[in-house]
mmCIF file of all heavy atoms in Angstrom:
data_model
loop_
_atom_site.group_PDB
_atom_site.id
_atom_site.type_symbol
_atom_site.label_atom_id
_atom_site.label_comp_id
_atom_site.label_asym_id
_atom_site.label_seq_id
_atom_site.Cartn_x
_atom_site.Cartn_y
_atom_site.Cartn_z
ATOM 1 N N PRO A 443 -22.508 -20.650 -2.317
ATOM 2 C CA PRO A 443 -22.784 -20.416 -0.915
ATOM 3 C C PRO A 443 -24.030 -19.540 -0.793
ATOM 4 O O PRO A 443 -24.418 -18.972 -1.815
ATOM 5 C CB PRO A 443 -21.572 -19.653 -0.485
ATOM 6 C CG PRO A 443 -20.523 -19.993 -1.463
ATOM 7 C CD PRO A 443 -21.172 -20.247 -2.752
ATOM 8 N N THR A 444 -24.589 -19.447 0.278
ATOM 9 C CA THR A 444 -25.806 -18.780 0.569
ATOM 10 C C THR A 444 -25.589 -17.595 1.680
ATOM 11 O O THR A 444 -24.881 -17.998 2.673
ATOM 12 C CB THR A 444 -26.985 -19.568 1.149
ATOM 13 O OG1 THR A 444 -27.200 -20.657 0.134
ATOM 14 C CG2 THR A 444 -28.158 -18.770 1.272
ATOM 15 N N ALA A 445 -25.955 -16.421 1.299
ATOM 16 C CA ALA A 445 -25.700 -15.374 2.315
ATOM 17 C C ALA A 445 -26.626 -15.638 3.556
ATOM 18 O O ALA A 445 -27.728 -15.957 3.426
ATOM 19 C CB ALA A 445 -25.970 -13.973 1.691
ATOM 20 N N ASN A 446 -26.067 -15.222 4.618
ATOM 21 C CA ASN A 446 -26.832 -15.318 5.942
ATOM 22 C C ASN A 446 -27.601 -14.085 6.188
ATOM 23 O O ASN A 446 -27.004 -13.097 6.696
ATOM 24 C CB ASN A 446 -25.863 -15.665 7.237
ATOM 25 C CG ASN A 446 -26.715 -15.946 8.467
ATOM 26 O OD1 ASN A 446 -27.866 -15.608 8.438
ATOM 27 N ND2 ASN A 446 -25.940 -16.286 9.452
ATOM 28 N N GLU A 447 -28.852 -13.965 5.761
ATOM 29 C CA GLU A 447 -29.693 -12.754 5.828
ATOM 30 C C GLU A 447 -29.846 -12.281 7.224
ATOM 31 O O GLU A 447 -30.069 -11.030 7.446
ATOM 32 C CB GLU A 447 -31.058 -13.016 5.094
ATOM 33 C CG GLU A 447 -30.916 -13.633 3.757
ATOM 34 C CD GLU A 447 -30.469 -12.533 2.713
ATOM 35 O OE1 GLU A 447 -30.484 -11.211 3.079
ATOM 36 O OE2 GLU A 447 -30.046 -12.897 1.534
ATOM 37 N N ASP A 448 -29.838 -13.134 8.275
ATOM 38 C CA ASP A 448 -30.170 -12.762 9.487
ATOM 39 C C ASP A 448 -28.932 -12.394 10.427
ATOM 40 O O ASP A 448 -29.029 -12.161 11.608
ATOM 41 C CB ASP A 448 -30.989 -13.868 10.275
ATOM 42 C CG ASP A 448 -32.265 -14.069 9.611
ATOM 43 O OD1 ASP A 448 -32.932 -13.147 9.121
ATOM 44 O OD2 ASP A 448 -32.693 -15.222 9.516
ATOM 45 N N SER A 449 -27.736 -12.452 9.834
ATOM 46 C CA SER A 449 -26.500 -12.264 10.502
ATOM 47 C C SER A 449 -26.368 -10.778 10.954
ATOM 48 O O SER A 449 -26.499 -9.858 10.149
ATOM 49 C CB SER A 449 -25.288 -12.514 9.697
ATOM 50 O OG SER A 449 -24.108 -12.097 10.289
ATOM 51 N N PRO A 450 -26.170 -10.506 12.326
ATOM 52 C CA PRO A 450 -25.916 -9.114 12.657
ATOM 53 C C PRO A 450 -24.752 -8.510 12.103
ATOM 54 O O PRO A 450 -24.647 -7.238 11.857
ATOM 55 C CB PRO A 450 -25.771 -9.240 14.248
ATOM 56 C CG PRO A 450 -25.514 -10.733 14.490
ATOM 57 C CD PRO A 450 -26.112 -11.427 13.401
ATOM 58 N N ILE A 451 -23.702 -9.334 11.886
ATOM 59 C CA ILE A 451 -22.528 -8.833 11.162
ATOM 60 C C ILE A 451 -22.844 -8.328 9.782
ATOM 61 O O ILE A 451 -22.364 -7.229 9.329
ATOM 62 C CB ILE A 451 -21.479 -9.896 11.178
ATOM 63 C CG1 ILE A 451 -20.931 -10.188 12.625
ATOM 64 C CG2 ILE A 451 -20.246 -9.439 10.270
ATOM 65 C CD1 ILE A 451 -19.980 -11.301 12.759
ATOM 66 N N ARG A 452 -23.584 -9.185 8.988
ATOM 67 C CA ARG A 452 -24.022 -8.837 7.671
ATOM 68 C C ARG A 452 -24.833 -7.582 7.635
ATOM 69 O O ARG A 452 -24.491 -6.584 6.923
ATOM 70 C CB ARG A 452 -24.793 -9.924 7.074
ATOM 71 C CG ARG A 452 -25.311 -9.578 5.699
ATOM 72 C CD ARG A 452 -26.149 -10.815 5.146
ATOM 73 N NE ARG A 452 -26.448 -10.596 3.688
ATOM 74 C CZ ARG A 452 -27.394 -9.784 3.137
ATOM 75 N NH1 ARG A 452 -28.234 -9.166 4.031
ATOM 76 N NH2 ARG A 452 -27.542 -9.777 1.897
ATOM 77 N N ASN A 453 -25.805 -7.397 8.701
ATOM 78 C CA ASN A 453 -26.641 -6.229 8.653
ATOM 79 C C ASN A 453 -25.870 -5.037 8.961
ATOM 80 O O ASN A 453 -26.139 -3.873 8.403
ATOM 81 C CB ASN A 453 -27.731 -6.533 9.602
ATOM 82 C CG ASN A 453 -28.711 -7.565 9.128
ATOM 83 O OD1 ASN A 453 -28.867 -7.883 8.037
ATOM 84 N ND2 ASN A 453 -29.407 -8.149 10.062
ATOM 85 N N ALA A 454 -24.827 -5.159 9.805
ATOM 86 C CA ALA A 454 -24.070 -4.003 10.249
ATOM 87 C C ALA A 454 -23.122 -3.656 9.051
ATOM 88 O O ALA A 454 -22.905 -2.331 8.792
ATOM 89 C CB ALA A 454 -23.228 -4.390 11.434
ATOM 90 N N THR A 455 -22.609 -4.543 8.391
ATOM 91 C CA THR A 455 -21.661 -4.240 7.301
ATOM 92 C C THR A 455 -22.337 -3.719 6.104
ATOM 93 O O THR A 455 -21.937 -2.783 5.404
ATOM 94 C CB THR A 455 -20.868 -5.635 6.880
ATOM 95 O OG1 THR A 455 -20.282 -6.181 7.975
ATOM 96 C CG2 THR A 455 -19.805 -5.199 5.856
#
Side-chain angles (χ1 to χ4, degrees):
T444 303
N446 184 354
E447 302 289 343
D448 298 324
S449 165
I451 294 172
R452 179 183 187 276
N453 294 335
T455 307

